[in-house]
Amino acid sequence: MKEEFLNLPVFKNEETKRFELTVDGHIAFIDYEEEDKIIKLIHTESPEALAGRGAATALIEKTLVYLEENNYQLVPLCPLVFAYVKRHPEWKRLVPSKYLRLFDREDID
């Protein structure tokens, strides 16, 4: 993660069901659904003003840390989150075992 994002907190906005990262007044977010300590990350979006800066990656990393620290399991439905976990397999530890086989498919990237 780039240094400019290290001290920025991720915020779990329960009203909008989004994890949010505010950078220079712009909000990058991940939509989620939650049920019984399982969080489905559905869609990641970063404003055009933050394009190319790594804000979406920082948001994903900070969200995964939040999930782990708060004992959530992860279902990565968002293609960006799925690709991140595939590239960083240590985060598979958050994924329920019944979903792990999806990471073995060659046609998904």
Side-chain angles (χ1 to χ4, degrees), residues 1-31:
M1 176 182 330
K2 292 183 178 178
E3 192 171 330
E4 69 177 301
F5 303 117
L6 289 177
N7 294 317
L8 298 178
V10 70
F11 173 65
K12 183 183 179 201
N13 187 333
E14 294 185 13
E15 190 173 307
T16 61
K17 298 214 179 295
R18 291 179 167 174
F19 285 94
E20 301 174 345
L21 181 67
T22 303
V23 181
D24 298 336
H26 303 282
I27 299 174
F29 64 86
I30 302 175
D31 290 320

Side-chain angles (χ1 to χ4, degrees), residues 43-108:
H43 172 74
T44 302
E45 198 166 307
S46 183
E48 187 65 35
L50 301 177
R53 290 178 55 186
T57 299
L59 171 60
I60 291 168
E61 290 175 9
K62 288 176 173 285
T63 299
L64 294 176
V65 169
Y66 176 93
L67 295 180
E68 185 164 58
E69 289 176 348
N70 290 278
N71 300 309
Y72 283 101
Q73 288 187 299
L74 163 69
V75 179
L77 300 178
C78 169
L80 281 176
V81 175
F82 183 89
Y84 183 88
V85 173
K86 193 167 183 171
R87 283 191 315 273
H88 303 276
E90 65 274 15
W91 287 108
K92 288 182 186 178
R93 66 184 178 262
L94 299 181
V95 178
S97 59
K98 67 181 178 179
Y99 296 106
L100 287 175
R101 60 182 162 67
L102 295 174
F103 289 94
D104 297 330
R105 293 183 53 187
E106 294 297 323
D107 61 331
I108 300 177

